[in-house]
Amino acid sequence: MLVSESNLNYELQDIYILDNGTFYFFDNFIISEVKEGVLFDWEMAQEIIAIAESYYGVGQKIAYISNRVHPYSLVPQDWLKFFKARNSISAFAVVSYSQQERSNILLERLFFKSKIKKFFDLEEAVKWAISEQLKYDNRRTTA
């Protein structure tokens, strides 16, 4: 299900339409819908990180949902670059609609330090992301 087809539009804060996909910014999370056939690499990730930092603030961790409505490829080793530069994700969810995407998640888990939560429903992923972001915010303010 595309974000535009969901009931999430009333909570939507901003939309960034880039060459590689559409990124939906909400109060507590980001949803990405990468275009079909894209090879999502470190350079593309840096563009999204820069937008997120300008939107939420530098150093602010935020929940991220990869809504994989279209097949695309990731460069898994680029996760290592992500962690060396900065780790600005408080929670990471993947909404998968195909068996191939489910297999890709297994590979990504080898490179991503934190837990990747799989979902088959976008709205369930959003509920989880909001909950995880609240947990992160509470840990940060009580630490």
Side-chain angles (χ1 to χ4, degrees), residues 108-125:
E108 290 169 40
R109 284 182 173 162
L110 297 173
F111 294 93
F112 188 65
K113 289 182 188 178
S114 300
K115 181 173 139 184
I116 298 175
K117 182 80 171 164
K118 287 189 303 189
F119 291 91
F120 307 108
D121 179 84
L122 179 59
E123 292 181 6
E124 288 299 315

Side-chain angles (χ1 to χ4, degrees), residues 11-16 23-32 47-65 86 88-91 129-130 133 136-137 140:
E11 297 177 34
L12 184 61
Q13 302 289 318
D14 210 345
I15 300 173
Y16 291 85
F23 298 83
Y24 301 88
F25 283 65
F26 295 83
D27 190 34
N28 294 312
F29 59 94
I30 298 170
I31 299 176
S32 68
E47 184 176 11
I48 302 308
I49 291 167
I51 292 169
E53 286 179 341
S54 69
Y55 191 84
Y56 297 108
V58 175
Q60 175 65 31
K61 290 190 177 194
I62 196 77
Y64 183 83
I65 301 170
R86 61 183 80 92
S88 54
I89 296 176
S90 64
I130 291 170
Q133 185 65 36
Y136 169 77
D137 289 344
R140 201 177 70 169

Side-chain angles (χ1 to χ4, degrees), residues 10-140:
Y10 70 94
E11 297 177 34
L12 184 61
Q13 302 289 318
D14 210 345
I15 300 173
Y16 291 85
I17 301 171
L18 307 176
D19 290 340
N20 58 357
T22 304
F23 298 83
Y24 301 88
F25 283 65
F26 295 83
D27 190 34
N28 294 312
F29 59 94
I30 298 170
I31 299 176
S32 68
E33 292 178 350
V34 175
K35 289 183 180 178
E36 186 170 353
V38 165
L39 176 61
F40 198 85
D41 61 11
W42 175 237
E43 288 76 29
M44 291 177 190
Q46 285 180 301
E47 184 176 11
I48 302 308
I49 291 167
I51 292 169
E53 286 179 341
S54 69
Y55 191 84
Y56 297 108
V58 175
Q60 175 65 31
K61 290 190 177 194
I62 196 77
Y64 183 83
I65 301 170
S66 176
N67 189 29
R68 299 200 177 157
V69 292
H70 306 292
Y72 66 93
S73 301
L74 293 167
V75 180
Q77 328 54 309
D78 282 356
W79 281 113
L80 301 174
K81 294 176 186 174
F82 175 77
F83 286 110
K84 286 182 183 177
R86 61 183 80 92
N87 179 2
S88 54
I89 296 176
S90 64
F92 183 38
V94 173
V95 183
S96 173
Y97 301 94
S98 73
Q99 189 59 42
Q100 164 109 23
E101 286 301 323
R102 293 175 191 144
S103 300
N104 288 343
I105 295 167
L106 296 174
L107 180 62
E108 290 169 40
R109 284 182 173 162
L110 297 173
F111 294 93
F112 188 65
K113 289 182 188 178
S114 300
K115 181 173 139 184
I116 298 175
K117 182 80 171 164
K118 287 189 303 189
F119 291 91
F120 307 108
D121 179 84
L122 179 59
E123 292 181 6
E124 288 299 315
V126 167
K127 289 176 192 172
W128 178 82
I130 291 170
S131 171
E132 291 298 305
Q133 185 65 36
L134 288 173
K135 288 178 195 175
Y136 169 77
D137 289 344
N138 286 337
R139 283 192 307 265
R140 201 177 70 169

